[in-house]
Amino acid sequence: GAVVSQHPSWVICKSGTSVKIECRSLDFQATTMFWYRQFPKQSLMLMATSNEGSKATYEQGVEKDKFLINHASLTLSTLTVTSAHPEDSSFYICSAKSGRSSYNEQFFGPGTRLTVL
Amino acid sequence: QKEVEQDPGPLSVPEGAIVSLNCTYSNSAFQYFMWYRQYSRKGPELLMYTYSSGNKEDGRFTAQVDKSSKYISLFIRDSQPSDSATYLCAMSASGGGNKLTFGTGTQLKVEL
């Protein structure tokens, strides 16, 4: 149980285009989902916290107009990278918070590798 | 200075060795400490979870937290080639289901 999926797993796009990444909790309802970014040999950096039915909370330094987050249902959150540029190339990972665990564990998706040409 | 410091490695050990992985941190508000394992091109998987100071053991894995020194450790006994992965420490002031601050990860390779 507690499986989180992401789609696509890998995407290549041209500079200036927008890319949408989906994060789904497959066997549980997630009121909260988190979006992280991971550059090579660096730690996961939290970008934003997404709560179902409300606006996402962005971390300092993350442009909310560039990284659009929608959490329309208890099993789906999307991250749209608008007008992507090469510096946005990274590994994007989502996690979903399950209320079933005694310590509110986050379950991570497999990640989406974005390459912007 | 980063909030969480972790030696990125790589760390190479022979099969059967005891592995010691460590993180230091600067934020005294951290109360929850986690170790995640991440295989290449995969998302992190929770290995150990500890609240406040102390030790916790689960099979071949032991997590230690020393809040007075702001130092946490993960020990892996009888290491196996399947343990080869990147190990990330993560910390939170308000629980594992809330904002996590990660270390950079230590790349471990267990050789036959």
Side-chain angles (χ1 to χ4, degrees), chain A residues 14-34:
Chain A
K14 293 182 179 180
S15 184
T17 61
S18 294
V19 175
K20 180 185 283 189
I21 302 170
E22 292 185 349
C23 177
R24 293 182 185 273
S25 57
L26 298 185
D27 54 357
F28 66 98
Q29 294 185 331
T31 56
T32 303
M33 289 184 173
F34 303 89

Side-chain angles (χ1 to χ4, degrees), chain A residues 34 38 43 59 97 104 106 109, chain B residues 38 43 46 96-99 103:
Chain A
F34 303 89
Q38 186 178 32
S43 59
E59 294 299 303
K97 176 179 173 179
N104 288 324
Q106 292 180 40
Chain B
Q38 185 178 23
L46 181 66
N98 299 310
K99 178 178 177 179

